[in-house]
Amino acid sequence: MLNIGKPLPKDHAEVAKHVKARLFDEERKKRIFNPTIRTIGIDKDALDRQVQEKKILREEEQAKQLAYSNKLLQDCATSLQLDEQNKKKQKEIDLEILEFRKKYQAPETRREYDIYDPLQCRKGQPIRIGDDDPRITLSSVQRFEGEESVTKEQKAEQIQQQRVWLEMQIREKNMTREENKNVERTWQETEHTTVQRAQALASLENECRKKLIEANYRYNQALASEQKMNKSIMEAECNEDKMAEVYNAITGDFLTENPELGFNSALGPGKILKSLYKGLTPAMKQAIYDEQANQRAELKKRKEAFDKQEKDWAELLNILARCGTLNDREMQKKKSSNRPGNPTTRKPNILQNKSPTKSIPPSIIITNPLINQMGDSNLLDLSISIGKQSHKILWNALDLQRALLLIQKNWTQIFLFSAIRFNPISFINEDQPMESIY
């Protein structure tokens, strides 16, 4: 046989460990494969335990409240019962006290009761019962000699007399009663009349009060309407004042920034207040704009005059250049004709040189207003300035020999200017060829 033997404590611990791990895995599987716990991501068992614990706590709290209420009701009942017992005991004590007072403390047992006894007159005896009163002794001297004793006749007369007196008293009482009735009747009539008069006066007073109330109501209505109208008028005036204030504020110098305030200085005219200076006024701006427009117009006029003068000068220079070219060609022809061995030598025509306009056809001559406006002295200055300008231009562009030739040409142009000045027609047409001059 296989002899296994008893398990050791170590084996028990290992078995318990495996069992605990298996239970933990099973619980973990339940949590993992449970869609509620897996989707929401919470521990439902823990929440259920919390809910159960809260429910148990709530039930315990309710039980405590119920026990407290029951104890409170029991205490209240006990206190009511004890209160009833105390009241009953106090009532019994009060009854015993009253019984004791009735039995042992009666008013008759007091020493001074005879002083304020209400039945003292009934209980007491008259001072003298009669002549045979045993309480009266000889020293009392109640009866004298010769005194009449009381008889039946005297008693009857006394009774009759008392009856008469009583009848008289009754009659007087009746008369007094009738008089009182009459007085009462008269008083009632008077009171009734007074009441009627008071009612009439009260009705009149009520009517007067109603009329006064109506008059007060009408007066109050009129006063209220007047106050309402005054209030509406005041509100309208207030609104108008507000609108005027807003309009004045909007159109005032502060918001509109009136530039004229800066020029109203107390230091004098022409001074500017720096704190209120808002720029130039429209009139000043317009004056500046007008001045600028005038300056532009004047500048435009000057420019047009300058352009016109430049154009005239350019035209004049062009004419002078053509004259110089023509003169240059004429001088070259003269030089070529004056050479030795040239059979075609021509003598210069002095008259033709003095009056070059005679050889110019009328079809190529135009008037020049600039030359007609120039005087003799201005003509000389013009020729000198043209010579200087030509000298300056040619000095920078050509060599010295070319410059001397151009200066010589300019002197020829001076003579041409002199001839043109004294001749009312001048100068050469631009479309005419240069050879047509000759």
Side-chain angles (χ1 to χ4, degrees), residues 255-297:
L255 293 180
T256 56
E257 296 184 355
N258 189 6
E260 294 181 359
L261 295 176
F263 299 95
N264 297 330
S265 176
L267 300 176
K271 301 294 183 179
I272 296 175
L273 290 174
K274 296 181 180 179
S275 60
L276 299 176
Y277 181 70
K278 303 298 181 181
L280 297 176
T281 60
M284 293 181 178
K285 292 180 180 179
Q286 189 64 33
I288 292 172
Y289 295 154
D290 294 341
E291 185 65 24
Q292 288 178 355
N294 293 331
Q295 290 178 2
R296 285 195 295 269

Side-chain angles (χ1 to χ4, degrees), residues 396-411:
N396 294 328
L398 303 173
D399 54 359
L400 183 58
Q401 186 178 1
R402 185 70 179 274
L404 292 174
L405 291 173
L406 288 175
I407 290 170
Q408 187 178 2
K409 291 177 183 179
N410 287 329
W411 284 110

Side-chain angles (χ1 to χ4, degrees), residues 154 157-174:
Q154 288 178 347
E157 290 179 359
Q158 289 177 358
I159 291 169
Q160 186 64 26
Q161 190 177 4
Q162 289 177 358
R163 187 179 293 112
V164 172
W165 289 348
L166 288 174
E167 289 178 356
M168 291 176 64
Q169 289 177 1
I170 290 170
R171 195 181 301 112
E172 290 178 357
K173 285 183 180 179
N174 291 331

Side-chain angles (χ1 to χ4, degrees), residues 108-261:
E108 295 83 2
T109 60
R110 296 175 185 174
R111 291 181 298 176
E112 65 276 4
Y113 180 72
D114 56 346
I115 298 175
Y116 54 87
D117 188 5
L119 301 176
Q120 185 179 4
C121 295
R122 294 182 182 180
K123 291 179 181 179
Q125 294 180 357
I127 297 173
R128 184 174 177 275
I129 299 174
D131 294 337
D132 297 332
D133 193 358
R135 296 177 300 173
I136 300 172
T137 60
L138 294 175
S139 60
S140 301
V141 191
Q142 295 293 323
R143 187 174 62 181
F144 297 96
E145 291 293 335
E147 183 179 359
E148 294 181 357
S149 60
V150 179
T151 60
K152 293 182 179 179
E153 295 177 357
Q154 288 178 347
K155 287 185 178 180
E157 290 179 359
Q158 289 177 358
I159 291 169
Q160 186 64 26
Q161 190 177 4
Q162 289 177 358
R163 187 179 293 112
V164 172
W165 289 348
L166 288 174
E167 289 178 356
M168 291 176 64
Q169 289 177 1
I170 290 170
R171 195 181 301 112
E172 290 178 357
K173 285 183 180 179
N174 291 331
M175 292 176 64
T176 304
R177 190 181 294 111
E178 289 295 330
E179 290 178 358
N180 290 331
K181 286 182 179 179
N182 293 329
V183 171
E184 184 70 22
R185 191 181 301 109
T186 306
W187 182 80
Q188 288 179 359
E189 291 178 356
T190 306
E191 186 178 4
H192 182 67
T193 306
T194 305
V195 169
Q196 289 181 353
R197 186 178 298 174
Q199 289 177 355
L201 292 174
S203 62
L204 291 174
E205 186 177 1
N206 290 329
E207 290 179 359
C208 293
R209 188 179 293 108
K210 287 180 181 179
K211 291 181 180 179
L212 183 61
I213 290 170
E214 290 178 358
N216 288 331
Y217 178 74
R218 289 194 297 271
Y219 175 75
N220 290 331
Q221 288 291 331
L223 187 62
S225 62
E226 185 179 0
Q227 288 179 356
K228 187 176 180 181
M229 184 174 64
N230 293 331
K231 186 177 180 181
S232 62
I233 292 170
M234 290 177 66
E235 288 180 355
E237 291 178 355
C238 184
N239 292 329
E240 289 179 359
D241 294 339
K242 289 180 180 178
M243 293 299 294
E245 185 179 359
V246 171
Y247 178 76
N248 292 330
I250 293 172
T251 60
D253 296 333
F254 181 74
L255 293 180
T256 56
E257 296 184 355
N258 189 6
E260 294 181 359
L261 295 176

Side-chain angles (χ1 to χ4, degrees), residues 90-117:
Q90 187 66 30
K91 189 175 181 180
E92 291 176 356
I93 291 168
D94 293 338
L95 291 174
E96 289 178 358
I97 290 171
L98 290 175
E99 188 68 23
F100 178 79
R101 286 176 179 175
K102 287 180 180 179
K103 187 175 181 180
Y104 297 103
Q105 294 181 352
E108 295 83 2
T109 60
R110 296 175 185 174
R111 291 181 298 176
E112 65 276 4
Y113 180 72
D114 56 346
I115 298 175
Y116 54 87
D117 188 5

